Amino acid sequence: MVLASYVQKVSEKVSLASELMCNYLSRDVTASFGYDYILRQCRLRGKIDSNGVCAAFLEERLNMGLNFILSAELDHKKKDYKFGFGLTVGE
């Protein structure tokens, strides 16, 4: 398996990333593009890949050591849609 990734910090709050994964045995190649955006009290991350899978992740800081999380993953090819939420306690 060969994995190559690149991250470019566009500004203090925005980063863009790309990834190329090649599996020689199964002859599977996947390319992904993603972003990371930092707001005042939350962080938004997302990605889309060459298989048609879109994912997003929102993490909001409620208090010191307490974060609220929303996530979604949409796979249009397989018609598989996942949504979730959670709380993270501790750092």
Side-chain angles (χ1 to χ4, degrees), residues 2 12 19 22 24 35 49-50 58-59 63 71 80 87:
V2 176
E12 192 173 304
E19 180 179 87
C22 301
Y24 181 74
Y35 61 90
D49 67 18
S50 59
L58 176 73
E59 182 177 19
N63 281 328
S71 65
D80 184 26
L87 285 174

Side-chain angles (χ1 to χ4, degrees), residues 1-50:
M1 181 177 281
V2 176
L3 178 68
S5 61
Y6 178 75
V7 177
Q8 175 68 44
K9 192 165 188 171
V10 177
S11 70
E12 192 173 304
K13 296 183 177 196
V14 178
S15 297
L16 298 174
S18 62
E19 180 179 87
L20 180 66
M21 184 173 54
C22 301
N23 189 340
Y24 181 74
L25 296 176
S26 68
R27 299 199 186 276
D28 184 34
V29 178
T30 305
S32 301
F33 300 96
Y35 61 90
D36 185 11
Y37 187 64
I38 300 172
L39 298 166
R40 192 176 333 153
Q41 288 187 334
C42 68
R43 172 178 238 157
L44 179 63
R45 294 177 179 169
K47 77 165 192 149
I48 186 167
D49 67 18
S50 59

